[in-house]
């Protein structure tokens, strides 16, 4: 969100070296892995290798992937990461993720399908389930909210396989009041909050999403109050 920024983009070798350090100290047993904004394809591919290795050690590990690639401004979508990240997310990362939190534009990129209606959004979420993740949350959309234009819609879908092998899908829609300002980092906050609340309510996506959106609302309201 700043006009200027400095620092390095980590590549796969550097990530691998850091991970080796964790392994040597035997502090690589995790319950969760969360990934977000990434600019390097080799780094992203290395994340997949590490997640697969961590899942071998702990089959209950939950990988939450926020596939940060771009967003819509005034109805027009554009990517703010290199375009060659898309196939890596689509073909390698999403298949090993348990929970993904794309915005509407990112969900469209991953599936190659545009979303104009809630029905199409549900179809896109089913396509994303078919790629691997049990839980899909479209964190924000430009769909018309039943409560009116002053509300933003988030959609969630959780697919689980019951003991008898049948699949069950839970769908949720959360509407929240729009805040009249431009924020950066809201997607990052959403993914982190969803991870935290999913941990507290592992079998209830509805409650996890309600609490996530509630936290978002409070943070944004406090931010705008401070800004004024």
């Amino acid at each position: 969100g700043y006009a200027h920024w400095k620092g390095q983009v980590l590549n796969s070798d550097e990530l691998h070296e850091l991970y080796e350090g964790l392994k040597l100290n035997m502090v690589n047993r995790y319950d969760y892995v969360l990934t977000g904004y990434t600019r390097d394809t080799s780094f992203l591919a290395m994340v997949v290798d590490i997640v697969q290795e961590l899942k071998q050690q702990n089959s209950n590990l939950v990988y939450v992937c926020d596939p940060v690639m771009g967003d819509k401004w005034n109805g027009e979508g554009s990517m703010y990461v290199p375009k060659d990240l898309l196939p890596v997310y689509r073909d390698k990362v999403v298949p090993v993720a348990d929970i993904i939190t794309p915005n509407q534009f990112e969900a469209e990129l991953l599936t190659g399908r545009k979303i104009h209606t809630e029905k199409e959004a549900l179809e896109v979420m089913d396509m994303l389930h078919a790629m691997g993740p049990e839980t899909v949350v479209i964190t924000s959309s430009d769909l018309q909210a039943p409560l009116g234009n002053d509300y933003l819609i988030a959609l969630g879908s959780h697919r689980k396989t019951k003991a008898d092998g049948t699949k069950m899908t839970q769908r949720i829609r959360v509407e929240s009041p729009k805040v009249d300002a431009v924020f950066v980092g809201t997607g990052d906050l959403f993914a982190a909050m969803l991870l935290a609340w999913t941990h507290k309510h592992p079998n209830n996506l509805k409650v996890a999403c309600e609490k996530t959106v509630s936290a978002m609302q409070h943070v944004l309201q406090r931010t705008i109050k401070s800004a004024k």
Side-chain angles (χ1 to χ4, degrees), residues 192-202 204 207-213 215:
M193 287 280 97
L194 187 66
L195 186 160
W197 288 118
T198 309
H199 174 70
K200 298 267 193 210
H201 307 281
N204 197 333
V207 170
C209 282
E210 283 171 352
K211 292 188 174 184
T212 297
V213 170

Side-chain angles (χ1 to χ4, degrees), residues 77-215:
S78 65
M79 289 181 73
Y80 46 62
V81 299
K83 286 188 170 41
D84 55 1
L85 263 75
L86 173 58
V88 183
Y89 271 118
R90 187 187 57 222
D91 304 333
K92 294 184 175 168
V93 183
V94 172
V96 299
D98 301 286
I99 301 175
I100 58 168
T101 60
N103 57 34
Q104 180 181 333
F105 178 62
E106 289 156 349
E108 291 173 342
L109 283 177
L110 288 168
T111 56
R113 287 261 326 255
K114 285 269 187 275
I115 297 172
H116 306 101
T117 62
E118 197 166 300
K119 181 176 175 286
E120 289 177 341
L122 296 178
E123 289 165 3
V124 162
M125 289 199 288
D126 281 340
M127 289 171 77
L128 291 167
H129 281 311
M131 290 160 79
E134 274 191 355
T135 303
V136 177
V137 179
I138 297 180
T139 57
S140 64
S141 68
D142 50 20
L143 295 172
Q144 177 69 45
L147 287 175
N149 290 336
D150 296 335
Y151 285 81
L152 198 65
I153 286 187
L155 296 167
S157 182
H158 179 61
R159 177 170 293 178
K160 54 175 174 232
T161 308
K162 295 200 288 199
D164 63 1
T166 56
K167 287 191 182 338
M168 201 183 91
T169 309
Q170 176 195 16
R171 312 280 206 190
I172 57 156
R173 178 179 67 225
V174 187
E175 296 175 62
S176 54
K178 282 183 183 170
V179 182
D180 188 24
V182 176
F183 296 95
V184 290
T186 47
D188 307 308
L189 178 59
F190 193 104
M193 287 280 97
L194 187 66
L195 186 160
W197 288 118
T198 309
H199 174 70
K200 298 267 193 210
H201 307 281
N203 300 310
N204 197 333
L205 180 64
K206 179 177 177 287
V207 170
C209 282
E210 283 171 352
K211 292 188 174 184
T212 297
V213 170
S214 171

